[in-house]
C-alpha cells in the first residue's frame, strides 16, 4: 500500500509541473474520516459528538489581491499565472469554491488565560479542503476572516487589514527564520468594512476587511482534544487521537496504517503509541518555544486553543518582537496586568499547556483503578523531561548565539580556566536588561567584535563597537561600561577555547542571530501604507524577510532599532486581541 505522507518541513523546490487552480488535487480526509456535525445551517451553537461543521465562506463586496507568497504557491504547485488570475482572488477571498472543496470549521475548546473556556472553535476560520501536491505532501487551505461559522459566538467572523497584514507577513517571516509555523498563501481585501474597537475603549471605527489564506499540514490544536475530554466523550476523543497519530504523525509511527485516498480504517493506537505520540508533541512544542526564545518572538496569546499539535506557531494575533531585551514584555494589552504570556514565561506556559493536553488524553492511557497507574506516570515523566530538556537546550541555544558549543559536564567541572557557561549566559542576559539594549542588534554587533585575546580593547572601545544596539546613550555609565568589559573579557577567554577563527565565528553566530526580524513598528509602517492602498511596504518586507540572516544591500532601514516615535504608538508597542 503506498503511503500518503505529510511533511512539516517541506522542500520549497519549484513544482514539478506548475498547475492551475482547477488542477489542484483535493483529498478531504479530515471531513471524510472524522465525525461531522449533522446540522448544516450556519448559526451559532454548541456542537457535540463532532469535530467540524460544514460551512461556506461569505461572499464579499469587491475582493482584491494585496499580496501572495510565491513559495507557498510553490508548495501547492500553483503557477505564477494562476496566482495572478482573477479566479485566485475570488477563491482565496471566499467568493468562489472549487468543485472539490468541502469547506468546514473545526470544533475545539481551550483554556484562555489559564481558565477553561469551553467550546471555542473556528469562529472565523474556514478550511477549504486538503490539497495533495505532486510531491505527495498534504496541505490544508484555510481562510481566516471569511465570515461567521457555528463557532463565531457573538462575533462577526471577519478580520481587518492590519491584523491580516501582520499574520501574513509573520507566518512567512517565521518560516524563513527556521521557526516551525503555519504558512500564508495570500492576503486579500474583501471590499467590505469591518467595525473594530481596537483598544476596547469605546472608540469603534470602520476598518478595511481582509482575508488571509493560511496553509499548514494540520490545523489541529490542543483544544481539539480537550473539548471531547471535558464533555466525557471518550469515544470521540479516541477517534481524533487515532486519526492524528495515523495521519499527522505518520512519520513517527510508520507501522500505523496510513490512510490512503478512499481508505476508512484507522488503526486503534495502543496505550504505548499514545504515550509515544504525546512525547513527540512535547518535543515539537519545546522545539517551537526554543526558537521563539532564540529570535525574540512573543506569541501574546498562548491559550491551549492556539497550540498546534504539530508544534507549529499558529494564530498570529497580538504577537510582538522583543526590541529592547525585556523578558517581562508582552505586546498584548489584554494581558497587561498579569503578563501571563510575557516573553520569559513562554516555556512555562508551553509546559502548562502540555499538562492540559495530558489531562485530556489521560482517560485513554490511565488506569485510575490501578495503584501503579503507569499511564499517568508516563505522562508526568514526559512533562518532567520537557522541563529538564528545556534547561539543557536553552543553555545550548544561548551559547550558540554566542558562537560557543556547549561543554560536556566533565569539561565544565574541570579546571579549564573559564567560568561556568550558564553563569556566562545569565550574566549577559542581566547586562542586556540593565540598559535598554536591542536584542537583535546586540548579537549581530557582538559577532563583529574580534575576540582574539591579542586584540586588547578598552571598555569604551567595546561599548562603541556595540553602540548600534543601545537605545539610550546616557545609560552607558562608567559602571555599565566596566561591567560589560568584564563580561567580554570572560567571553574572550571562553571563545578562544573554541579554536575558531574570527571570520568563522561571525559566520556561525550570524546563522542563528537574525539581522532582519518583523519589528513591530515595521509592520505598522507597512500597514499604514496598505490602508491607503499602497502595498509596497508589505512587498518589501516579504522580500527582505526571506533572507533574515543575510545583510542585504540597501535594506539597512529594515534592520534598525525602533525609532523613538514608535515607543508608545498603538500597533508598534501595544496590541490587543481586537483583530
Ligand atoms: P483567538 O484569541 O484569536 O485565538 O480567538 C479565540 C476564539 O475566538 C477562537 O475560537 C476564534 O475563532 C474566535 N474569534 C476571534 N475573533 C473572532 C471574530 N472576529 N469572529 C468570530 N470568532 C472570532
Ligand atoms: Mg485562536
Amino acid at each position: 500500500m503506498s503511503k500518503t505522507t505529510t511533511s512539516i518541513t517541506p522542500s520549497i523546490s519549484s513544482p514539478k509541473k506548475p498547475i492551475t487552480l482547477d488542477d489542484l488535487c483535493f483529498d478531504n480526509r479530515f471531513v471524510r474520516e472524522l465525525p461531522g456535525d449533522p446540522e448544516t445551517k450556519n448559526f451559532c451553537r454548541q456542537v457535540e459528538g463532532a469535530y467540524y461543521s460544514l460551512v461556506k465562506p461569505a461572499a464579499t463586496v469587491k475582493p482584491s489581491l494585496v499580496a501572495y507568497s510565491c513559495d507557498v504557491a510553490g508548495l501547492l504547485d500553483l503557477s505564477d499565472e494562476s496566482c495572478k488570475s482573477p479566479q485566485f482572488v475570488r477563491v482565496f477571498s471566499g467568493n468562489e469554491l472549487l468543485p472539490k472543496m468541502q469547506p468546514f470549521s473545526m470544533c475545539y475548546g481551550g483554556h484562555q488565560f489559564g481558565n477553561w473556556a469551553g467550546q471555542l472553535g473556528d469562529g472565523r476560520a474556514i478550511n477549504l479542503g486538503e490539497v495533495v501536491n505532486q510531491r505527495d505532501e498534504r496541505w490544508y487551505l484555510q481562510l481566516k476572516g471569511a465570515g461567521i461559522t457555528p463557532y463565531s459566538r457573538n462575533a462577526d467572523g471577519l478580520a481587518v487589514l492590519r491584523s491580516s497584514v501582520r499574520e501574513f507577513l509573520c507566518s512567512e517571516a517565521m518560516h524563513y527564520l527556521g521557526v516551525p509555523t503555519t504558512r500564508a498563501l495570500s492576503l486579500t481585501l474583501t471590499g467590505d468594512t469591518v467595525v473594530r474597537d481596537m483598544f476596547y475603549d469605546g472608540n469603534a471605527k470602520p476598518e478595511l476587511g481582509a482575508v488571509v489564506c493560511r496553509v499548514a499540514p494540520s490545523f489541529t490544536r490542543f483544544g481539539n482534544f480537550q473539548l471531547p475530554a471535558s464533555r466525557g466523550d471518550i469515544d470521540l476523543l479516541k477517534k481524533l487521537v487515532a486519526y492524528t497519530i495515523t495521519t499527522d504523525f505518520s512519520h513517527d509511527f510508520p507501522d500505523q496504517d496510513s490512510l490512503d485516498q478512499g481508505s476508512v480504517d484507522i488503526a486503534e493506537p495502543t496505550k504505548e503509541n499514545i504515550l509515544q505520540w504525546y512525547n513527540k508533541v512535547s518535543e515539537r512544542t519545546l522545539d517551537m518555544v526554543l526558537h521563539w526564545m532564540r529570535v525574540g518572538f512573543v506569541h501574546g496569546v498562548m491559550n491551549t486553543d492556539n497550540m498546534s499539535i504539530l508544534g507549529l506557531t499558529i494564530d498570529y494575533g497580538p504577537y510582538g518582537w522583543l526590541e529592547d531585551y525585556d523578558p517581562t514584555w508582552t505586546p498584548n494589552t489584554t494581558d497587561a496586568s498579569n503578563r501571563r504570556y510575557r516573553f520569559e514565561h513562554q516555556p512555562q506556559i508551553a509546559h502548562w499547556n502540555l499538562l492540559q493536553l495530558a489531562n485530556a488524553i489521560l482517560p485513554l492511557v490511565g488506569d485510575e483503578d490501578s495503584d501503579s497507574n503507569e499511564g499517568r506516570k508516563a505522562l508526568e515523566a514526559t512533562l518532567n523531561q520537557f522541563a529538564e530538556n528545556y534547561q539543557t537546550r536553552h543553555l545550548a541555544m544561548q551559547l550558540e548565539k554566542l558562537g560557543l558549543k556547549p561543554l560536556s559536564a566533565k569539561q565544565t567541572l574541570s579546571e579549564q580556566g573559564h567560568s561556568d557557561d550558564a553563569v556566562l549566559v545569565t550574566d549577559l542576559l542581566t547586562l542586556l536588561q540593565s540598559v535598554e539594549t536591542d536584542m537583535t542588534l546586540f548579537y549581530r554587533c557582538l559577532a563583529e567584535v574580534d575576540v582574539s585575546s591579542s586584540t586588547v580593547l578598552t571598555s569604551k572601545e567595546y561599548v562603541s563597537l556595540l553602540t548600534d544596539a543601545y537605545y539610550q546613550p546616557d545609560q552607558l555609565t562608567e559602571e555599565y561600561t566596566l561591567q560589560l568589559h568584564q563580561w567580554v573579557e570572560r567571553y574572550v577567554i571562553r571563545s578562544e577555547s573554541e579554536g575558531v577563527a574570527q571570520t568563522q565565528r561571525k559566520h556561525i553566530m550570524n546563522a542563528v542571530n537574525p539581522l532582519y526580524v518583523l519589528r513591530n513598528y515595521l509592520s505598522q509602517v507597512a500597514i499604514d501604507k496598505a490602508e491607503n492602498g499602497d502595498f509596497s511596504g508589505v512587498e518589501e518586507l516579504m522580500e527582505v524577510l526571506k533572507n533574515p540572516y543575510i545583510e542585504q544591500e540597501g535594506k539597512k532601514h529594515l534592520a534598525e532599532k525602533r525609532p523613538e516615535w514608535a515607543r508608545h504608538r498603538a500597533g508598534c508597542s501595544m496590541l490587543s486581541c481586537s483583530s
Side-chain angles (χ1 to χ4, degrees), residues 359-504:
N359 281 333
I361 61 169
L362 186 60
L364 306 186
V365 295
D367 180 1
E368 291 299 338
D369 296 334
S370 129
D371 284 346
S372 59
N373 206 343
E374 298 296 332
R376 179 192 292 275
K377 281 188 186 154
L379 292 173
E380 282 168 358
T382 296
L383 283 165
N384 291 338
Q385 196 62 52
F386 176 99
E388 209 175 289
N389 288 352
Y390 185 80
Q391 292 300 335
T392 316
R393 290 194 56 197
H394 181 256
L395 176 59
M397 179 272 282
Q398 291 290 354
L399 290 173
E400 215 184 342
K401 284 176 80 67
L402 295 172
L404 306 173
K405 283 194 218 74
L407 300 170
S408 69
K410 207 168 135 219
Q411 280 173 305
T412 315
L413 292 173
S414 69
E415 297 296 316
Q416 297 270 319
H418 46 71
S419 64
D420 187 88
D421 279 351
V423 180
L424 188 75
V425 165
T426 313
D427 287 352
L428 173 64
L429 297 181
T430 307
L431 269 177
L432 293 185
Q433 290 166 73
S434 68
V435 301
E436 216 177 325
T437 316
D438 190 274
M439 172 179 161
T440 303
L441 291 177
F442 180 85
Y443 287 98
R444 294 294 290 208
C445 292
L446 190 64
E448 299 289 338
V449 175
D450 184 353
V451 293
S452 38
S453 55
S454 52
T455 322
V456 182
L457 296 181
T458 65
S459 308
K460 280 205 175 121
E461 281 166 335
Y462 275 127
V463 168
S464 73
L465 287 170
L466 301 168
T467 202
D468 277 355
Y470 296 118
Y471 279 92
Q472 318 232 34
D474 61 342
Q475 289 181 336
L476 306 175
T477 58
E478 245 173 66
E479 193 192 344
Y480 171 80
T481 310
L482 190 64
Q483 281 174 356
L484 180 81
H485 192 176
Q486 284 166 351
W487 182 86
V488 175
E489 278 180 339
R490 284 155 61 201
Y491 174 55
V492 165
I493 295 170
R494 176 64 178 84
S495 281
E496 280 216 319
S497 72
E498 295 283 314
V500 171
Q502 167 60 18
T503 45
Q504 179 68 2

Side-chain angles (χ1 to χ4, degrees), residues 112 120-124 152-153 155-158 196 305-306 315:
Q112 294 188 313
L120 296 166
D122 288 331
R124 55 171 165 176
S152 297
R153 295 176 290 160
D156 56 11
L158 304 174
R196 286 288 181 270
D305 53 304
N306 291 340
D315 276 11

Side-chain angles (χ1 to χ4, degrees), residues 61 130 387 401:
V61 166
E130 297 164 60
K401 284 176 80 67

Side-chain angles (χ1 to χ4, degrees), residues 7 10 75-76 129-131 133 137-141 183 215-217:
S7 167
L75 295 176
L76 306 175
E130 297 164 60
V131 165
N133 71 12
E137 295 162 348
R138 183 175 288 267
W139 295 103
Y140 283 72
L141 307 182
R183 304 290 302 271
V215 175

Side-chain angles (χ1 to χ4, degrees), residues 293 325-329 341-348 390 433:
M293 305 309 279
Y325 183 78
D326 175 3
T328 68
W329 184 70
Y341 298 139
R342 62 190 181 274
F343 179 69
E344 66 184 357
H345 208 209
Q346 297 186 117
Q348 281 99 312
Y390 185 80
Q433 290 166 73

